[in-house]
Amino acid sequence: MTGAIQIFSSIKTLSEDIIKTLELLDIGDWIGVSGPIRRTKRGELTINNEKVTVLSKSLLPLPEKYHGLTDIETRYRQRYVDLIVNKESGDRLRKRSIIIASMRTFLAEKGFLEVETPMLHLIPGASAKPFLTHHNALNLPMYLRIAPELFLKRLMVGGLSDKIFEINRCFRNEGISPRHNPEFTMMELYQAFADYTDMMKITEEIIQNAALKANGTTKVIYNDHEIDLSSPWPRKSMIELVKEKTGVDFSTITRVEDAREAAKKIGGIPLEGADSWGKVIEAVFGEKVEPTLIQPIHVTDHPLDISPLAKVHRDDPRLTERFESYINTWEVANAFSELNDPIEQGKRFEAQVKNREKGDEEAQHMDKDYLNALEHGLPPTGGLGIGVDRLTMILTNAPSIRDVIAFPTMKPKDEK
């Protein structure tokens, strides 16, 4: 248990040894006190000190009581001190635990089976830059997992359950920023005989439930914005949102050259690496639309060439049945109707391999075993991933992802 209690020490009743001990105590010491418990006339719970035992001595001084630990770097490097003196830090990490527990309980009640999949991969399983390591016993290069997706879908092929999920760590060897940490936590789930519209519904339910458990309300304050997480969230296609913000309807453009020219006319669009129709649309969306998405929204129907694992859209072969959910301008969820055609998936992997050969370090590898799994039959499946750290930031009004990770990745202090 934790809380505050008053200790009453009277020089008239304490031994000389206890008085000497009291004189040596510092803020930060751990002590044990025994004696009768009472309430003062003001109602304060109090122990009448009869015996004091020093359990652990604090040898280093804590930051000054009323100003706390304000140096940001020290707060992240010495989280143990931060937790002692800054109540807000402990509150955020405790809410993180509540948020994760809410996900686990909610999904279990919905009939989802929790599973664990490997952290060490022979082939990186997603579109991002991986960490490389080495397995000495097998003398093999291996990668820390980017995402559990392909292993989870293998379990779906095997029929372990028609609903599965995992909450665990992922690793991406990319930049560090207020929204990115190389080591982060994801919740991924898969449901047979569901599609991306079902995933939109469960995304809203999971996030609303987490907000209620953590804060008691579906309305949250982040910076100067009040964000309403209650259902239903708007659903708009990426192309539709781009048209609203720029006036350009990319659905009427077919050639990548024309798409790039349209983006140049919009102005301010970074087009390096945007060598396909879908990548151009993604670049325009990231620059002109994404910064405006404060309230929750599902951004749907992403281009096929930026969605290598999603099923082709039932109404437009250039698009996929994929959505990303945005809150506070951030992507917090990514989901789609899973591609379960092994022949088409093989073609997608081949296209990704060609992109890698052109220098795209984030393009996916060819995974022959996964294709073999698909050839055994993946039922129609909806899949969803939610970034636990970003969601926790939003639900606790945390300015940096480092505030919601107990021990964020930091460069050693002695390195320049």
Side-chain angles (χ1 to χ4, degrees):
M1 293 181 63
T2 60
I5 191 169
Q6 180 172 262
I7 299 171
F8 177 77
S9 300
S10 173
I11 197 170
K12 296 179 181 180
T13 58
L14 295 179
S15 68
E16 187 174 330
D17 287 342
I18 291 178
I19 292 172
K20 287 180 179 179
T21 299
L22 292 175
E23 291 173 348
L24 296 174
L25 295 180
D26 296 304
I27 295 174
D29 290 348
W30 287 88
I31 63 172
V33 179
S34 59
I37 298 176
R38 64 183 175 88
R39 287 196 180 273
T40 65
K41 293 179 179 179
R42 294 183 178 180
E44 291 189 53
L45 193 62
T46 303
I47 298 177
N48 282 349
N49 179 16
E50 293 183 349
K51 182 181 179 181
V52 176
T53 303
V54 178
L55 304 176
S56 180
K57 184 67 181 171
S58 176
L59 301 181
L60 294 174
L62 293 174
E64 198 275 323
K65 178 179 179 181
Y66 294 102
H67 294 93
L69 180 61
T70 57
D71 180 72
I72 296 297
E73 285 290 307
T74 304
R75 288 181 64 182
Y76 299 146
R77 292 181 188 281
Q78 299 179 20
R79 182 67 84 188
Y80 40 89
V81 179
D82 179 35
L83 291 171
I84 293 171
V85 299
N86 288 321
K87 180 178 181 296
E88 182 182 63
S89 296
D91 289 343
R92 283 195 174 114
L93 293 179
R94 280 185 283 272
K95 281 192 176 182
R96 178 192 175 97
S97 179
I98 291 169
I99 291 163
I100 293 173
S102 77
M103 291 180 170
R104 181 169 280 117
T105 301
F106 175 86
L107 291 172
E109 290 175 351
K110 292 284 187 179
F112 283 81
L113 177 70
E114 184 170 11
V115 298
E116 293 180 318
T117 58
M119 292 286 189
L120 292 174
H121 290 188
L122 287 171
I123 298 173
S127 299
K129 189 175 181 181
F131 282 93
L132 177 66
T133 185
H134 188 84
H135 194 297
N136 290 335
L138 298 178
N139 192 26
L140 286 173
M142 299 193 81
Y143 301 91
L144 296 183
R145 80 166 177 200
I146 297 171
E149 179 174 352
L150 299 188
F151 280 100
L152 289 171
K153 286 191 278 193
R154 285 174 169 94
L155 295 179
M156 294 295 292
V157 169
L160 179 65
S161 173
D162 61 351
K163 296 178 180 180
I164 62 173
F165 79 98
E166 180 172 12
I167 301 174
N168 222 322
R169 312 296 269 190
C170 297
F171 306 85
R172 298 189 180 182
N173 196 0
E174 299 168 353
I176 294 176
S177 76
R179 287 187 286 162
H180 297 87
N181 194 68
E183 180 181 4
F184 61 99
T185 301
M186 284 284 292
M187 186 289 300
E188 283 206 20
L189 66 82
Y190 292 86
Q191 180 178 346
F193 309 108
D195 65 10
Y196 78 142
T197 60
D198 299 298
M199 295 299 102
M200 293 181 210
K201 183 175 183 293
I202 200 169
T203 299
E204 295 176 21
E205 291 175 340
I206 290 171
I207 291 176
Q208 289 160 13
N209 182 63
L212 287 170
K213 295 297 183 183
N215 298 325
T217 176
T218 57
K219 291 184 178 180
V220 297
I221 302 295
Y222 196 89
N223 290 335
D224 297 326
H225 300 289
E226 181 180 80
I227 298 173
D228 187 355
L229 301 172
S230 59
S231 294
W233 297 1
R235 304 178 182 187
K236 290 190 176 184
S237 74
M238 181 178 285
I239 289 177
E240 179 185 1
L241 287 166
V242 166
K243 182 179 178 182
E244 287 180 3
K245 297 299 180 183
T246 68
V248 178
D249 185 357
F250 280 89
S251 68
T252 64
I253 299 172
T254 55
R255 299 194 319 144
V256 62
E257 296 84 359
D258 295 334
R260 287 178 62 88
E261 190 62 33
K264 289 177 183 177
K265 289 179 180 178
I266 293 169
I269 309 298
L271 292 174
E272 183 180 356
D275 55 1
S276 70
W277 178 77
K279 288 182 179 179
V280 173
I281 295 171
E282 182 183 38
V284 177
F285 173 83
E287 194 67 27
K288 299 299 183 181
V289 180
E290 196 172 291
T292 71
L293 303 178
I294 304 297
Q295 297 300 322
I297 185 173
H298 301 302
V299 179
T300 67
D301 305 342
H302 292 215
L304 185 145
D305 47 359
I306 62 169
S307 310
L309 297 169
K311 184 173 286 188
V312 173
H313 198 283
R314 63 196 73 181
D315 297 324
D316 188 336
R318 295 185 299 173
L319 306 176
T320 59
E321 295 191 351
R322 174 188 175 191
F323 72 88
E324 290 177 337
S325 303
Y326 282 80
I327 305 173
N328 189 52
T329 77
W330 306 342
E331 175 210 333
V332 296
N334 183 26
F336 31 87
S337 304
E338 301 295 334
L339 177 58
N340 60 350
D341 179 343
I343 297 174
E344 174 63 21
Q345 185 64 79
K347 293 177 181 177
R348 303 267 193 98
F349 279 155
E350 288 172 359
Q352 289 285 300
V353 169
K354 290 179 180 177
N355 288 339
R356 287 190 64 80
E357 292 171 350
K358 293 177 182 177
D360 184 353
E361 293 182 319
E362 295 187 3
Q364 291 194 237
H365 291 64
M366 173 65 73
D367 191 332
K368 293 182 179 178
D369 182 73
Y370 177 66
L371 292 177
N372 187 61
L374 288 185
E375 288 176 355
H376 285 80
L378 173 67
T381 298
L384 165 67
I386 294 178
V388 172
D389 309 290
R390 284 188 185 176
L391 178 60
T392 303
M393 287 177 66
I394 290 167
L395 296 184
T396 62
N397 196 17
S400 171
I401 197 171
R402 296 180 180 186
D403 292 308
V404 299
I405 296 175
F407 300 102
T409 305
M410 302 282 288
K411 186 176 182 179
K413 199 171 184 179
D414 57 352
E415 289 189 13
K416 302 297 183 182

